[in-house]
Amino acid sequence: MPPVEVGETFTETRTFQPEDVDQFAALSGDDQPHHTEPDGDGRRMVQGLLTASLLTSIGGDLEVLASRMDLQFQRPVYTGETLVCELTIVSADPDTDDGVPLVGDVTVQRVSCGDDPGQADTAAAKQADGDTAGTVVLEATVEGLIRE
């Protein structure tokens, strides 16, 4: 793994489906009705920690051992919405014997609401609720260590 640089940005994009929500509910026990029963638009709310797994996917690719995550959930996420997670490295100190400690800022943003063009009323309702493309749904700061 090449060293990371301050200012470097890593991304992960995902669209969660009902099966993802079901699998996470079975694994985590977070099976409250918000996640298991569709809303009036047929969507299911994605668990917050499943949304945050976008960040863990990036961390896995970088081989980061996370030591701290400060997550701030801004908006709910629903099945069928496409999200993009960006992790930007704000500090990395290569001068340690244990590895490279780093700090990163994270933003998860909705890039698609999964709108069906034939559902104008649903799209308008989502826009009224702030569920539009470009909406930040999660912000975080992470600390971790890349072992060399």
Side-chain angles (χ1 to χ4, degrees), residues 99-113:
V100 179
L102 62 87
V103 176
D105 286 336
V106 178
T107 302
V108 178
Q109 192 169 2
R110 188 179 281 115
V111 293
S112 163
C113 294

Side-chain angles (χ1 to χ4, degrees), residues 41 114-126:
D41 295 326
D115 293 329
D116 178 343
Q119 295 179 324
D121 291 340
T122 300
K126 288 179 187 175

Side-chain angles (χ1 to χ4, degrees), residues 13 18 38 56 74 78 122 139 144 148:
T13 301
T56 62
Q74 306 292 326
Y78 296 93
T122 300
E139 294 180 306
E148 296 183 324

Side-chain angles (χ1 to χ4, degrees), residues 32-94:
Q32 59 182 299
H34 293 294
H35 305 308
T36 59
E37 298 173 14
D39 67 7
D41 295 326
R43 308 174 304 168
R44 307 237 313 264
M45 187 183 295
V46 177
Q47 294 93 339
L49 290 179
L50 180 54
T51 301
S53 72
L54 288 162
L55 169 60
T56 62
S57 179
I58 295 171
D61 291 344
L62 297 175
E63 300 180 22
V64 173
L65 301 173
S67 58
R68 180 183 175 113
M69 293 184 189
D70 178 15
L71 305 171
Q72 297 176 14
F73 299 96
Q74 306 292 326
R75 305 283 307 161
V77 171
Y78 296 93
T79 54
E81 297 178 336
T82 300
L83 306 174
V84 64
C85 175
E86 290 188 352
L87 165 67
T88 302
I89 305 299
V90 281
S91 72
D93 181 8

